[in-house]
Amino acid sequence: MVQTISAFDRIGEENAFAVLARATALAQQGKDIINLGIGQPDFQTPAHIVEAAIKALRDGHHGYTPANGLLATREAVARRTLTTTGVEVSPEEIMIMPGGKPTMFAAILMFGEAGAQILYPDPGFPIYRSMIEFTGAEPVPVPIREENGFAFSADETLSLITPQTRLLILNSPANPTGGVTPRAEIEKLVKGLDDHPHVAILSDEIYDVMTYDGEAHTSLLQFPEIRDRLIVLNGWSKTWAMTGWRMGWSIWPNSGRGQGLYDKVRKLAVNCWSCVNAPSQFAGIAAIDGPQDEVARMMAAFDRRRTLVVDGLNALPGVSCITPKGAFYAFPNIAGTGWQAKKLASSLLEDAGVALIGGPDFGVLGEGYIRLSYANSEENIERALQRMRSFLEG
Ligand code: PLP
C-alpha cells in the first residue's frame, strides 16, 4: 500500500453531503423524500446574473484570470463591503476565491501546525474542526449555547485564549444554529482581544445579509483596531443562490501585523487553483451591482418559512426551538424526545422520508439538537413537520 502523510487520516467531512447523497439515492428508489438537510437556497440564481456569465463566455473571456481575481470583481466587492458595513476596503485586500470554503482552508492552513491552538465554534460549520485537525493544530471548541440565543460569549471565548492560540474563528449569523451575536458582545470581544495581540481572527460572514426582525449584522471589519489581524470570509453562494458557481471572496490584512498575509494567500492560489474562472467573476459583478429584488424576495420567503418551522417544531412532542435570527437554519432541542440526535436524523430519513442533520455533525455540543434547513417550499416544510409528528407520536 502507498503511504500518505498522517494529516490525511485526520481530515473530516461535511455530513450534509452524505445525507444529500443518501436522500438522493432513496428518491431514486422511488421514495418521497423531503430534503431539509443541505444548506443551499432552493432558488435559482437570478437571471441577470446567469446572463452576465453567458455574455462573458460569448465575449471570449475563456482564459486565466489574475490569481487574486479580476480587478473589476474586487472593485465590486469593495463597493458591496462599503454598502453593507460602511467600511472602505481596498481591492488590494480582496481575494476572489472559488467558494467560501477555500478562505477557511487558506486561513487555517496559514496558522495551524503542531503546537498551535485554534479556537472554533461548537456547534459550528464542520470544516473548521476538520481543517484544524488536518494541520496538526489543536482544535479548541468555543461553546455556542442555546441559553445564550446561540450567540458566542465574549468572556467564554477570551477565557480560552492561551499563548499557543494562533487563530480565533467566529461565525455570525451562524450555521447550524441561526444564531446572531449581538453587537455589544462583539464589542466586548474586540476589546478583550487587545490583551491578546498574537491572535489572528477569521470571521465567517457568509450569511451577513441573511438576518431577520431588523436584526443588524455586525461585521468584524467595523473594528479598525483588529483590521491588521482580521480575515473576513464571504461569498456569493448563499445571498444570490450561487452555491454551485463556487464563488467567494475574502478580505485580508495587508499592513501592520498582517503585512504579507495577502501575498501568502495569493501565492497559495497560484499553487492550488491558479484563479477563479472568468464567467463566474462577471456573474459575481452582476450579482453585486444588479437589482437586489430577488434577494429580497428570497429573504421574505425564508422569513415566512422560519415562522412555519419554529411554530411547527415547538408543537412536536419533546421538541423545543428558539427562533433563529439569521441564515436559514433552525436548531431545535430534541432532548425531550429521548432520541439521540444522529439516530433520530437517520430514522427520520429512512422511515419518515425527511432529510435533516444530527447536531453532533456540527460538534460534540450538538448532541440533543438537529438542524433543519428551511430552504424548501412551505408546502414541503408542512409535510415534513407532519411526518415528524407522526414519527415521534408513533
Ligand atoms: N461558511 C459557512 C458558515 C457555511 O455554512 C458555508 C456553507 O454551507 C460555507 C462557509 C461555505 O460556503 P461555500 O459553499 O461558498 O464554500
PDB file of all heavy atoms in Angstrom, residues 25-50:
ATOM      1  N   ALA A  25     -30.328   8.970  -3.230  1.00  0.00           N
ATOM      2  CA  ALA A  25     -30.415   7.530  -3.538  1.00  0.00           C
ATOM      3  C   ALA A  25     -31.808   6.996  -3.190  1.00  0.00           C
ATOM      4  O   ALA A  25     -32.416   6.256  -3.975  1.00  0.00           O
ATOM      5  CB  ALA A  25     -29.340   6.762  -2.776  1.00  0.00           C
ATOM      6  N   LEU A  26     -32.329   7.397  -2.051  1.00  0.00           N
ATOM      7  CA  LEU A  26     -33.669   6.939  -1.649  1.00  0.00           C
ATOM      8  C   LEU A  26     -34.723   7.460  -2.629  1.00  0.00           C
ATOM      9  O   LEU A  26     -35.652   6.739  -3.009  1.00  0.00           O
ATOM     10  CB  LEU A  26     -33.998   7.405  -0.220  1.00  0.00           C
ATOM     11  CG  LEU A  26     -33.254   6.684   0.913  1.00  0.00           C
ATOM     12  CD1 LEU A  26     -33.482   7.396   2.243  1.00  0.00           C
ATOM     13  CD2 LEU A  26     -33.698   5.224   1.020  1.00  0.00           C
ATOM     14  N   ALA A  27     -34.553   8.717  -3.064  1.00  0.00           N
ATOM     15  CA  ALA A  27     -35.510   9.302  -4.020  1.00  0.00           C
ATOM     16  C   ALA A  27     -35.459   8.534  -5.336  1.00  0.00           C
ATOM     17  O   ALA A  27     -36.491   8.281  -5.965  1.00  0.00           O
ATOM     18  CB  ALA A  27     -35.199  10.782  -4.223  1.00  0.00           C
ATOM     19  N   GLN A  28     -34.241   8.129  -5.732  1.00  0.00           N
ATOM     20  CA  GLN A  28     -34.108   7.376  -6.992  1.00  0.00           C
ATOM     21  C   GLN A  28     -34.774   6.004  -6.904  1.00  0.00           C
ATOM     22  O   GLN A  28     -35.189   5.440  -7.898  1.00  0.00           O
ATOM     23  CB  GLN A  28     -32.627   7.241  -7.371  1.00  0.00           C
ATOM     24  CG  GLN A  28     -32.147   8.472  -8.133  1.00  0.00           C
ATOM     25  CD  GLN A  28     -30.636   8.584  -8.199  1.00  0.00           C
ATOM     26  OE1 GLN A  28     -29.912   7.759  -7.645  1.00  0.00           O
ATOM     27  NE2 GLN A  28     -30.156   9.617  -8.873  1.00  0.00           N
ATOM     28  N   GLN A  29     -34.863   5.487  -5.668  1.00  0.00           N
ATOM     29  CA  GLN A  29     -35.569   4.206  -5.481  1.00  0.00           C
ATOM     30  C   GLN A  29     -37.088   4.415  -5.461  1.00  0.00           C
ATOM     31  O   GLN A  29     -37.848   3.496  -5.194  1.00  0.00           O
ATOM     32  CB  GLN A  29     -35.174   3.561  -4.150  1.00  0.00           C
ATOM     33  CG  GLN A  29     -33.751   3.025  -4.105  1.00  0.00           C
ATOM     34  CD  GLN A  29     -33.312   2.744  -2.663  1.00  0.00           C
ATOM     35  OE1 GLN A  29     -34.151   2.574  -1.771  1.00  0.00           O
ATOM     36  NE2 GLN A  29     -32.020   2.691  -2.442  1.00  0.00           N
ATOM     37  N   GLY A  30     -37.505   5.668  -5.644  1.00  0.00           N
ATOM     38  CA  GLY A  30     -38.941   5.939  -5.705  1.00  0.00           C
ATOM     39  C   GLY A  30     -39.536   6.417  -4.389  1.00  0.00           C
ATOM     40  O   GLY A  30     -40.747   6.621  -4.290  1.00  0.00           O
ATOM     41  N   LYS A  31     -38.692   6.602  -3.363  1.00  0.00           N
ATOM     42  CA  LYS A  31     -39.216   7.092  -2.086  1.00  0.00           C
ATOM     43  C   LYS A  31     -39.456   8.607  -2.162  1.00  0.00           C
ATOM     44  O   LYS A  31     -38.716   9.328  -2.839  1.00  0.00           O
ATOM     45  CB  LYS A  31     -38.208   6.808  -0.966  1.00  0.00           C
ATOM     46  CG  LYS A  31     -37.924   5.328  -0.764  1.00  0.00           C
ATOM     47  CD  LYS A  31     -38.149   4.925   0.693  1.00  0.00           C
ATOM     48  CE  LYS A  31     -38.139   3.427   0.871  1.00  0.00           C
ATOM     49  NZ  LYS A  31     -36.792   2.843   0.752  1.00  0.00           N
ATOM     50  N   ASP A  32     -40.467   9.071  -1.464  1.00  0.00           N
ATOM     51  CA  ASP A  32     -40.765  10.506  -1.438  1.00  0.00           C
ATOM     52  C   ASP A  32     -39.975  11.143  -0.290  1.00  0.00           C
ATOM     53  O   ASP A  32     -40.304  10.973   0.878  1.00  0.00           O
ATOM     54  CB  ASP A  32     -42.287  10.684  -1.242  1.00  0.00           C
ATOM     55  CG  ASP A  32     -42.660  12.147  -1.113  1.00  0.00           C
ATOM     56  OD1 ASP A  32     -41.897  12.987  -1.624  1.00  0.00           O
ATOM     57  OD2 ASP A  32     -43.701  12.442  -0.502  1.00  0.00           O
ATOM     58  N   ILE A  33     -38.904  11.824  -0.640  1.00  0.00           N
ATOM     59  CA  ILE A  33     -38.013  12.402   0.377  1.00  0.00           C
ATOM     60  C   ILE A  33     -38.170  13.926   0.398  1.00  0.00           C
ATOM     61  O   ILE A  33     -38.141  14.568  -0.657  1.00  0.00           O
ATOM     62  CB  ILE A  33     -36.530  12.062   0.065  1.00  0.00           C
ATOM     63  CG1 ILE A  33     -36.327  10.545  -0.067  1.00  0.00           C
ATOM     64  CG2 ILE A  33     -35.595  12.663   1.117  1.00  0.00           C
ATOM     65  CD1 ILE A  33     -36.519   9.753   1.202  1.00  0.00           C
ATOM     66  N   ILE A  34     -38.324  14.483   1.580  1.00  0.00           N
ATOM     67  CA  ILE A  34     -38.348  15.947   1.719  1.00  0.00           C
ATOM     68  C   ILE A  34     -36.994  16.356   2.284  1.00  0.00           C
ATOM     69  O   ILE A  34     -36.613  15.910   3.379  1.00  0.00           O
ATOM     70  CB  ILE A  34     -39.482  16.402   2.654  1.00  0.00           C
ATOM     71  CG1 ILE A  34     -40.829  15.860   2.147  1.00  0.00           C
ATOM     72  CG2 ILE A  34     -39.518  17.934   2.747  1.00  0.00           C
ATOM     73  CD1 ILE A  34     -41.950  15.998   3.143  1.00  0.00           C
ATOM     74  N   ASN A  35     -36.287  17.178   1.543  1.00  0.00           N
ATOM     75  CA  ASN A  35     -34.907  17.466   1.944  1.00  0.00           C
ATOM     76  C   ASN A  35     -34.794  18.777   2.727  1.00  0.00           C
ATOM     77  O   ASN A  35     -34.886  19.863   2.166  1.00  0.00           O
ATOM     78  CB  ASN A  35     -34.012  17.498   0.705  1.00  0.00           C
ATOM     79  CG  ASN A  35     -32.554  17.371   1.103  1.00  0.00           C
ATOM     80  OD1 ASN A  35     -32.175  17.659   2.253  1.00  0.00           O
ATOM     81  ND2 ASN A  35     -31.732  16.925   0.181  1.00  0.00           N
ATOM     82  N   LEU A  36     -34.591  18.646   4.014  1.00  0.00           N
ATOM     83  CA  LEU A  36     -34.301  19.814   4.855  1.00  0.00           C
ATOM     84  C   LEU A  36     -32.859  19.695   5.367  1.00  0.00           C
ATOM     85  O   LEU A  36     -32.513  20.180   6.437  1.00  0.00           O
ATOM     86  CB  LEU A  36     -35.289  19.887   6.027  1.00  0.00           C
ATOM     87  CG  LEU A  36     -36.785  19.881   5.669  1.00  0.00           C
ATOM     88  CD1 LEU A  36     -37.643  20.025   6.915  1.00  0.00           C
ATOM     89  CD2 LEU A  36     -37.129  20.984   4.678  1.00  0.00           C
ATOM     90  N   GLY A  37     -32.047  18.993   4.581  1.00  0.00           N
ATOM     91  CA  GLY A  37     -30.690  18.686   5.019  1.00  0.00           C
ATOM     92  C   GLY A  37     -29.654  19.685   4.550  1.00  0.00           C
ATOM     93  O   GLY A  37     -28.902  20.245   5.334  1.00  0.00           O
ATOM     94  N   ILE A  38     -29.614  19.925   3.263  1.00  0.00           N
ATOM     95  CA  ILE A  38     -28.470  20.663   2.717  1.00  0.00           C
ATOM     96  C   ILE A  38     -28.660  22.179   2.845  1.00  0.00           C
ATOM     97  O   ILE A  38     -29.767  22.690   2.740  1.00  0.00           O
ATOM     98  CB  ILE A  38     -28.193  20.260   1.238  1.00  0.00           C
ATOM     99  CG1 ILE A  38     -26.825  20.739   0.758  1.00  0.00           C
ATOM    100  CG2 ILE A  38     -29.308  20.716   0.322  1.00  0.00           C
ATOM    101  CD1 ILE A  38     -25.681  19.854   1.179  1.00  0.00           C
ATOM    102  N   GLY A  39     -27.540  22.869   3.082  1.00  0.00           N
ATOM    103  CA  GLY A  39     -27.601  24.313   3.283  1.00  0.00           C
ATOM    104  C   GLY A  39     -27.458  25.084   1.990  1.00  0.00           C
ATOM    105  O   GLY A  39     -26.473  25.802   1.807  1.00  0.00           O
ATOM    106  N   GLN A  40     -28.410  24.907   1.093  1.00  0.00           N
ATOM    107  CA  GLN A  40     -28.351  25.756  -0.104  1.00  0.00           C
ATOM    108  C   GLN A  40     -29.745  26.254  -0.445  1.00  0.00           C
ATOM    109  O   GLN A  40     -30.721  25.506  -0.380  1.00  0.00           O
ATOM    110  CB  GLN A  40     -27.699  25.042  -1.275  1.00  0.00           C
ATOM    111  CG  GLN A  40     -28.502  24.003  -1.989  1.00  0.00           C
ATOM    112  CD  GLN A  40     -27.740  23.470  -3.202  1.00  0.00           C
ATOM    113  OE1 GLN A  40     -26.900  24.138  -3.789  1.00  0.00           O
ATOM    114  NE2 GLN A  40     -28.045  22.232  -3.577  1.00  0.00           N
ATOM    115  N   PRO A  41     -29.831  27.558  -0.818  1.00  0.00           N
ATOM    116  CA  PRO A  41     -31.131  28.121  -1.162  1.00  0.00           C
ATOM    117  C   PRO A  41     -31.799  27.300  -2.259  1.00  0.00           C
ATOM    118  O   PRO A  41     -31.129  26.829  -3.183  1.00  0.00           O
ATOM    119  CB  PRO A  41     -30.782  29.529  -1.664  1.00  0.00           C
ATOM    120  CG  PRO A  41     -29.473  29.855  -1.019  1.00  0.00           C
ATOM    121  CD  PRO A  41     -28.744  28.558  -0.924  1.00  0.00           C
ATOM    122  N   ASP A  42     -33.109  27.130  -2.145  1.00  0.00           N
ATOM    123  CA  ASP A  42     -33.844  26.359  -3.158  1.00  0.00           C
ATOM    124  C   ASP A  42     -34.331  27.275  -4.270  1.00  0.00           C
ATOM    125  O   ASP A  42     -35.344  27.006  -4.899  1.00  0.00           O
ATOM    126  CB  ASP A  42     -35.029  25.645  -2.496  1.00  0.00           C
ATOM    127  CG  ASP A  42     -35.962  26.609  -1.782  1.00  0.00           C
ATOM    128  OD1 ASP A  42     -35.453  27.533  -1.124  1.00  0.00           O
ATOM    129  OD2 ASP A  42     -37.189  26.451  -1.880  1.00  0.00           O
ATOM    130  N   PHE A  43     -33.622  28.380  -4.480  1.00  0.00           N
ATOM    131  CA  PHE A  43     -33.977  29.318  -5.541  1.00  0.00           C
ATOM    132  C   PHE A  43     -32.943  29.207  -6.651  1.00  0.00           C
ATOM    133  O   PHE A  43     -31.814  28.779  -6.410  1.00  0.00           O
ATOM    134  CB  PHE A  43     -34.001  30.754  -5.004  1.00  0.00           C
ATOM    135  CG  PHE A  43     -35.030  30.958  -3.925  1.00  0.00           C
ATOM    136  CD1 PHE A  43     -34.696  30.800  -2.585  1.00  0.00           C
ATOM    137  CD2 PHE A  43     -36.342  31.271  -4.259  1.00  0.00           C
ATOM    138  CE1 PHE A  43     -35.653  30.951  -1.591  1.00  0.00           C
ATOM    139  CE2 PHE A  43     -37.304  31.428  -3.271  1.00  0.00           C
ATOM    140  CZ  PHE A  43     -36.964  31.265  -1.937  1.00  0.00           C
ATOM    141  N   GLN A  44     -33.344  29.613  -7.852  1.00  0.00           N
ATOM    142  CA  GLN A  44     -32.384  29.667  -8.949  1.00  0.00           C
ATOM    143  C   GLN A  44     -31.599  30.965  -8.820  1.00  0.00           C
ATOM    144  O   GLN A  44     -32.101  31.969  -8.299  1.00  0.00           O
ATOM    145  CB  GLN A  44     -33.125  29.676 -10.293  1.00  0.00           C
ATOM    146  CG  GLN A  44     -33.877  28.400 -10.588  1.00  0.00           C
ATOM    147  CD  GLN A  44     -32.940  27.287 -11.039  1.00  0.00           C
ATOM    148  OE1 GLN A  44     -32.004  26.920 -10.331  1.00  0.00           O
ATOM    149  NE2 GLN A  44     -33.176  26.736 -12.192  1.00  0.00           N
ATOM    150  N   THR A  45     -30.379  30.963  -9.322  1.00  0.00           N
ATOM    151  CA  THR A  45     -29.612  32.210  -9.412  1.00  0.00           C
ATOM    152  C   THR A  45     -30.409  33.194 -10.291  1.00  0.00           C
ATOM    153  O   THR A  45     -30.886  32.803 -11.357  1.00  0.00           O
ATOM    154  CB  THR A  45     -28.245  31.930 -10.068  1.00  0.00           C
ATOM    155  OG1 THR A  45     -27.583  30.912  -9.323  1.00  0.00           O
ATOM    156  CG2 THR A  45     -27.392  33.184 -10.110  1.00  0.00           C
ATOM    157  N   PRO A  46     -30.572  34.452  -9.850  1.00  0.00           N
ATOM    158  CA  PRO A  46     -31.330  35.415 -10.662  1.00  0.00           C
ATOM    159  C   PRO A  46     -30.834  35.478 -12.113  1.00  0.00           C
ATOM    160  O   PRO A  46     -29.626  35.401 -12.378  1.00  0.00           O
ATOM    161  CB  PRO A  46     -31.102  36.740  -9.925  1.00  0.00           C
ATOM    162  CG  PRO A  46     -30.912  36.328  -8.493  1.00  0.00           C
ATOM    163  CD  PRO A  46     -30.160  35.015  -8.554  1.00  0.00           C
ATOM    164  N   ALA A  47     -31.784  35.646 -13.047  1.00  0.00           N
ATOM    165  CA  ALA A  47     -31.490  35.515 -14.489  1.00  0.00           C
ATOM    166  C   ALA A  47     -30.415  36.493 -14.961  1.00  0.00           C
ATOM    167  O   ALA A  47     -29.568  36.140 -15.786  1.00  0.00           O
ATOM    168  CB  ALA A  47     -32.774  35.708 -15.293  1.00  0.00           C
ATOM    169  N   HIS A  48     -30.419  37.733 -14.442  1.00  0.00           N
ATOM    170  CA  HIS A  48     -29.436  38.701 -14.961  1.00  0.00           C
ATOM    171  C   HIS A  48     -28.007  38.293 -14.607  1.00  0.00           C
ATOM    172  O   HIS A  48     -27.060  38.649 -15.299  1.00  0.00           O
ATOM    173  CB  HIS A  48     -29.750  40.115 -14.449  1.00  0.00           C
ATOM    174  CG  HIS A  48     -29.515  40.320 -12.987  1.00  0.00           C
ATOM    175  ND1 HIS A  48     -30.428  39.954 -12.019  1.00  0.00           N
ATOM    176  CD2 HIS A  48     -28.454  40.834 -12.314  1.00  0.00           C
ATOM    177  CE1 HIS A  48     -29.940  40.254 -10.826  1.00  0.00           C
ATOM    178  NE2 HIS A  48     -28.753  40.786 -10.980  1.00  0.00           N
ATOM    179  N   ILE A  49     -27.864  37.506 -13.535  1.00  0.00           N
ATOM    180  CA  ILE A  49     -26.529  37.025 -13.140  1.00  0.00           C
ATOM    181  C   ILE A  49     -26.077  35.919 -14.108  1.00  0.00           C
ATOM    182  O   ILE A  49     -24.934  35.918 -14.595  1.00  0.00           O
ATOM    183  CB  ILE A  49     -26.558  36.518 -11.672  1.00  0.00           C
ATOM    184  CG1 ILE A  49     -26.999  37.657 -10.737  1.00  0.00           C
ATOM    185  CG2 ILE A  49     -25.205  35.944 -11.278  1.00  0.00           C
ATOM    186  CD1 ILE A  49     -27.153  37.245  -9.277  1.00  0.00           C
ATOM    187  N   VAL A  50     -27.013  35.024 -14.415  1.00  0.00           N
ATOM    188  CA  VAL A  50     -26.715  33.948 -15.380  1.00  0.00           C
ATOM    189  C   VAL A  50     -26.338  34.565 -16.732  1.00  0.00           C
ATOM    190  O   VAL A  50     -25.356  34.152 -17.365  1.00  0.00           O
ATOM    191  CB  VAL A  50     -27.941  33.013 -15.521  1.00  0.00           C
ATOM    192  CG1 VAL A  50     -27.691  31.945 -16.579  1.00  0.00           C
ATOM    193  CG2 VAL A  50     -28.286  32.371 -14.170  1.00  0.00           C
TER     194      VAL A  50
END
